[in-house]
Amino acid sequence: MKAHMMAVARKLISPSLRYEIRTVSNVLRDMLGRACFWHWEVARFRLQQESPYEILYIGRKQQREMAKLLIGGKAQQQAPKPEGSAGSLPSRVVVSELPTLGALSVPHYLSAVVPLGRSLDDITARYDSELRRSIRKNRPLYEMRQTLADDEIAMADRDLLRPYASARQGIHAAQFPTEEVFRLAKGVGRLDLITLNGEVVACHLGCEITRAGKRYWSTLRFGYCEAVFSDAKKLREVNSITTYMALEWALANGFDYYDIGLCLARPDDGLLKWKRRRGGDIDSLGNHAYMFIRLPKTGVARFLWDTPLFAVEGDKLTLHLGLPEGSSDEALASRYHEMVFGGLHKIYLYGAKSSGELFFENLRQRYANLKSPPTMERVFSN
């Protein structure tokens, strides 16, 4: 009876409306989780011993690691050390799970979405020449086929999806429950096995999303066998091919967009850079979990150099970059070389009036090539 009622509901409610209902449900679930104030803590920490910034975290204990990831990323860039900083009091950055006055609304994750509706050659024209050569050479060796067989779904879950997630993220890996993998593979999604010379080396788990009447083919997870993910060179090859084949399938089946999947919402995150090089534009795509970050009163430009931030204004994505005093235009260009993203509404550049004039114009020119370039605003700060 329950299955019958759900089937009737799916026929009566449009895919776009179902997407909106899921979005509202996720927002309410997140709000209810935040409302458990007895799970909250107030913690102070520095990400590096010599850091001039003290982080004041206010929120659930289990979300503190996410706050550290959004602030610290996976690698720190060294900005020029400001004069007179030795022995000075630390600047405070407030990171909270509730909005505070003047805080940026920073998403936990973003999706990388490739606009379709054009030829495969047009899409891959944005790839670098080395990637295009690799795909041309290796694509004929691989095949992709859907599976509905219980034993193959179980194998993909056990030998591909779970081991690869654990290898990438360790104890922080968010594994899909086995029953969810089966549900997706047999009903609302699709599980494909990737073979190399007839041997299964990878899998792709995806589903369709419809938003505002547009169809998205969304990658939920890739999985790889240990022989692939333990070999960095082989993983690069297979990862590129599986992503390319998912793109091919989405294009052949009339989708409007291909969602390559979630990334940590850090402009300098390596995975996001990887997906950007494959034509992915950033998109919130229903990801409505946020941290609220209030910038320090002093040293804002240096903080945003170390910690560039995405933020949301209404439903628009913005990018916040720091131009520390004393940084050359060459240093700024090097730091922000791969931070040109489709899908942005606005870019804020923080610094002194004399900081980065040439870089500002060069950045404007790089974004001018996009179909909908973002506006840019200078924010003068000490």
Side-chain angles (χ1 to χ4, degrees):
M1 176 62 72
K2 181 179 179 181
H4 176 71
M5 293 295 293
M6 291 180 65
V8 171
R10 288 183 69 85
K11 290 181 180 180
L12 294 177
I13 302 174
S14 71
S16 293
L17 182 56
R18 289 201 299 269
Y19 172 85
E20 296 299 333
I21 292 172
R22 286 196 304 272
T23 297
V24 171
S25 174
N26 290 335
V27 170
L28 292 175
R29 191 179 296 113
D30 183 63
M31 290 175 62
L32 288 172
R34 293 169 189 264
C36 300
F37 294 111
W38 52 93
H39 292 154
W40 282 40
E41 66 174 4
V42 177
R44 291 179 172 84
F45 55 87
R46 297 194 193 200
L47 294 171
Q48 293 180 341
Q49 187 175 2
E50 304 261 334
S51 173
Y53 303 102
E54 177 188 70
I55 311 300
L56 175 64
Y57 172 70
I58 307 169
R60 289 169 289 179
K61 293 179 182 179
Q62 68 267 31
Q63 291 297 322
R64 193 199 315 167
E65 290 304 312
M66 174 54 70
K68 288 183 177 180
L69 266 179
L70 289 175
I71 293 291
K74 297 169 185 175
Q76 288 289 303
Q77 300 284 331
Q78 294 300 315
K81 191 172 183 179
E83 295 181 8
S85 62
S88 59
L89 293 174
S91 296
R92 176 173 292 172
V93 179
V94 179
V95 183
S96 174
E97 286 211 87
L98 283 181
T100 56
L101 185 63
L104 301 178
S105 300
V106 178
H108 292 185
Y109 296 99
L110 292 173
S111 291
V113 174
V114 182
L116 303 180
R118 51 204 168 121
S119 72
L120 197 57
D121 287 342
D122 285 345
I123 295 170
T124 57
R126 289 181 62 179
Y127 295 8
D128 62 55
S129 57
E130 182 180 350
L131 177 57
R132 290 198 301 270
R133 281 195 302 271
S134 176
I135 291 173
R136 282 197 302 269
K137 174 184 175 183
N138 295 304
R139 174 63 183 89
L141 305 176
Y142 291 82
E143 292 184 1
M144 183 174 78
R145 64 175 176 84
Q146 183 181 13
T147 182
L148 296 169
D150 287 354
D151 59 336
E152 289 189 326
I153 297 170
M155 178 278 296
D157 178 49
R158 180 186 65 244
D159 299 340
L160 304 174
L161 293 168
R162 290 181 175 277
Y164 178 57
S166 295
R168 282 188 61 195
Q169 301 174 0
I171 61 173
H172 300 294
Q175 301 282 7
F176 271 24
T178 297
E179 57 272 21
E180 182 69 3
V181 175
F182 271 84
R183 187 182 75 87
L184 288 163
K186 285 178 167 289
V188 297
R190 176 185 172 104
L191 177 66
D192 289 289
L193 299 181
I194 314 299
T195 60
L196 170 61
N197 297 323
E199 180 183 354
V200 175
V201 295
C203 69
H204 172 269
L205 184 65
C207 70
E208 179 177 344
I209 296 171
T210 302
R211 178 177 68 169
K214 300 295 184 180
R215 296 172 66 227
Y216 295 71
W217 179 243
S218 181
T219 289
L220 300 174
R221 290 292 167 88
F222 287 119
Y224 300 99
C225 65
E226 185 175 1
V228 169
F229 67 69
S230 62
D231 182 333
K233 182 179 179 181
K234 193 66 180 176
L235 179 59
R236 283 195 299 271
E237 175 191 313
V238 182
N239 206 5
S240 293
I241 293 297
T242 52
T243 305
Y244 181 77
M245 287 195 293
L247 170 65
E248 280 183 320
W249 190 89
L251 194 60
N253 285 273
F255 285 86
D256 299 294
Y257 297 92
Y258 169 47
D259 168 25
I260 310 178
L262 288 177
C263 309
L264 181 70
R266 278 276 306 200
D268 55 0
D269 180 67
L271 181 59
L272 181 56
K273 290 179 182 179
W274 188 90
K275 293 178 179 180
R276 183 193 66 82
R277 289 193 291 268
R278 284 151 181 81
D281 294 341
I282 58 172
D283 193 318
S284 59
L285 200 61
N287 303 303
H288 294 285
Y290 299 100
M291 290 285 179
F292 300 94
I293 299 178
R294 196 167 70 210
L295 300 176
K297 292 182 179 180
T298 60
V300 174
R302 186 185 181 205
F303 173 75
L304 287 170
W305 167 282
D306 290 338
T307 306
L309 294 172
F310 289 119
V312 174
E313 295 180 0
D315 60 350
K316 306 293 186 181
L317 284 168
T318 62
L319 176 62
H320 299 253
L321 304 176
L323 312 179
E325 198 164 0
S327 296
S328 66
D329 287 300
E330 291 77 12
L332 293 169
S334 175
R335 170 61 173 144
Y336 300 130
H337 175 68
E338 293 197 76
M339 296 191 198
V340 176
F341 302 99
L344 282 175
H345 169 66
K346 196 170 187 177
I347 300 175
Y348 296 91
L349 298 110
Y350 297 72
K353 290 184 178 181
S354 58
S355 297
E357 289 294 338
L358 180 60
F359 168 74
F360 183 82
E361 290 305 317
N362 286 342
L363 190 64
R364 188 191 299 276
Q365 291 174 17
R366 292 187 67 194
Y367 271 98
N369 295 323
L370 299 184
K371 185 177 180 180
S372 300
T375 57
M376 298 191 184
E377 181 176 324
R378 294 291 300 263
V379 181
F380 298 116
S381 60
N382 56 347

